[in-house]
Each structure stands twice: as C-alpha cells, then as structure tokens.
Amino acid sequence: MHLERLTLILEVVGQKGTATVADICAHSDLPKPSAYRLVQDLVGAGLLDPVARGEFAIGTRLRRITQSENTDQVLLEVIAPKLKQAANAHGVAFFLSRLRGQSVEIIHVETPDTGVSFLHPGVGKRPLHACSCSKAVAAFSPELLTSKDMEGRLKAYTEFTLTKVEDLEAEFETIRVRGYAECVEEIERGMCSVAAPLSPTGPGATMSIGATGSMRVFTDQFRSEIGPKIAKLAERLSVDLGWGEPGAVMQG
C-alpha cells in the first residue's frame, strides 16, 4: 500500500509536470497530511524536487535512473572511440567516469596503441574530494557534498589530499572557472590525473573524462596544456550526445 501511494504521487507529478500537495490530493484519495508526508519522503530520496513554493517536479535522481539512453553501453559507443584517439594522440591513458548513487566511478579506460605498458587507473569508485574524475563532477553538483557532510570526513590519502572544507570549496570554484580538475599526488604519490565534466549541467554534469599518468609525464606544463584540451573534448562529446552546445564548459 505504501509503495502504491508513492507510485501514485509520482504518476500525478509526472503527468502534470509540476504539482502541489493539493493537486496530488485532488487526483487521489490521499488525505493531505499523508500526501504531504509522502511527498517529503520522495523529496528526501531525490525522486521529487521542489521547484517553487509548494510545487514539486520529478526529481533529478529519478530522471537519471529512467534515462535509458544513458546506459554505460550506449555512452561507450560514442565516447570510447574518442578516448582511444585521445590516448594515442597524447600518449597517456584516458578514462570515462560517471556518478552512481553518491559515488563517482571510473567505468572505462583506453590506453595508447604503442605496445608500451601505460599506467592504468583501474575501474571503480573514487573519493569525491581526492580524484580529478570525482572533483570534476562534484564541482558542478554541489548537492553531493555539503559542508555538514564533509566536515571531519575528508580522508587524507597522502600529504597532498585536501582535508579542509574551505580548501575543497575553493578548488571547486577554480574547477568551475577553468572547466577541469586536477589530482596531483592526492591519492597516490607519483600519480596525477586531469578530468573535465561532459557538461556543467544536465546528465553530462554527472560524468567526466580525463587522463592519468605519472608525475614524470604530468608536469605543470603538461597539465596546463592537456586540461583545456580535455575540457574541449568533453564539450564536443556532450554535443554529440545531445546534451549541450559548443562553448558550454569553457570559452576560448
């Protein structure tokens, strides 16, 4: 019964576009106190979003779940060949990451076709505060990390990991301005990566592409050169996927 009521509310809101608790009550047999409580449960789970005073729309999380065109397989059909081209052009490993729940995961890696062994970042979850692929997403999705959530919970993986909330928030602002994130020995000594979100808003903001390698290769100059190129590649991929227009992430 509880699940049926929640489903009914989602159906009403989905069909109307936006709805108030009064609208929900008018299209169901739910008493107002019950409808209000259930709406708050759905908001808390990210299945509904408040869009105006007393009005609600289908939530970002639910839209992300139901966007079947954004499955890993569909994304990789478009993105993997471009990552392979980039890996061969720059001589380093390139990766694709995406948000799953409250974590960012690397889901695919391409390495250059040179026959030489390249540092591979592996796949799986990355900390939101200490990896370029995660920071590139978190900087454009501030709801992932609030000051309350972060306080005292930022693990130091090396002496270079940012563990103060104010330092991380300042870095997020830098990422939003320049369009890409860096991880310089923040998870593992000697390792570095650079990543950019596919777009600053929409589904592209929950994904990032990037490159990784040793500090010997990822010098300050190399990072300053490859960072804007990754941001531009991300922008083009976002356009190819129908999520944005050229110039959405970075200008120039």
Side-chain angles (χ1 to χ4, degrees):
M1 178 64 73
H2 183 69
L3 181 58
E4 177 61 31
R5 290 180 171 183
L6 292 171
T7 303
L8 177 59
I9 291 173
L10 291 173
E11 287 178 343
V12 171
V13 176
Q15 291 170 2
K16 291 182 67 63
T18 64
T20 64
V21 171
D23 293 328
I24 292 167
C25 293
H27 292 85
S28 69
D29 295 327
L30 293 174
K32 189 172 182 178
S34 296
Y36 180 81
R37 184 179 66 257
L38 293 170
V39 165
Q40 294 307 308
D41 289 344
L42 290 166
V43 169
L47 302 180
L48 288 180
D49 285 341
V51 294
R53 186 175 180 83
E55 287 191 72
F56 303 89
I58 294 298
T60 303
R61 183 181 182 187
L62 182 55
R63 292 198 303 272
R64 192 161 63 233
I65 292 170
T66 57
Q67 286 172 329
S68 59
E69 69 273 17
N70 294 344
T71 62
D72 291 354
Q73 181 179 356
V74 171
L75 291 171
L76 288 174
E77 288 176 0
V78 175
I79 297 174
K82 300 297 178 64
L83 294 185
K84 173 59 78 173
Q85 292 174 10
N88 285 327
H90 297 286
V92 295
F94 271 71
F95 56 80
L96 168 66
S97 304
R98 72 180 307 176
L99 181 67
R100 294 201 202 280
Q102 296 297 304
S103 300
V104 172
E105 296 183 19
I106 294 178
I107 65 170
H108 187 75
V109 180
E110 294 284 354
T111 55
D113 290 328
T114 62
V116 178
S117 177
F118 285 86
L119 291 174
H120 191 299
V123 296
K125 294 181 180 181
R126 294 297 185 273
L128 288 173
H129 68 292
C131 184
S132 65
C133 70
S134 299
K135 290 191 288 184
V137 171
F140 292 91
S141 304
E143 71 279 1
L144 291 177
L145 289 173
T146 65
S147 294
K148 182 178 179 181
D149 292 334
M150 291 187 289
E151 199 66 53
R153 297 178 59 186
L154 301 182
K155 178 181 177 180
Y157 295 92
T158 73
E159 65 268 38
F160 302 110
T161 308
L162 297 181
T163 58
K164 294 183 178 179
V165 172
E166 58 268 28
D167 292 340
L168 186 59
E169 290 177 338
E171 179 159 0
F172 284 172
E173 179 58 29
T174 298
I175 293 167
R176 288 189 286 268
V177 170
R178 71 184 177 189
Y180 64 91
E182 294 182 339
C183 174
V184 183
E185 297 187 287
E186 295 172 37
I187 295 182
E188 184 177 347
R189 289 296 304 270
M191 290 294 295
C192 183
S193 64
V194 180
L198 292 192
S199 63
T201 60
T206 67
M207 305 173 199
S208 64
I209 60 167
T212 188
S214 70
M215 285 296 296
R216 179 181 58 81
V217 175
F218 278 73
T219 61
D220 290 348
Q221 180 177 344
F222 184 81
R223 297 197 309 275
S224 68
E225 292 172 353
I226 201 171
K229 292 177 181 178
I230 291 173
K232 284 295 185 182
L233 175 58
E235 178 185 300
R236 291 194 295 271
L237 287 170
S238 180
V239 173
D240 290 345
L241 291 163
W243 297 336
E245 297 297 330
V249 176
M250 287 187 60
Q251 299 294 330

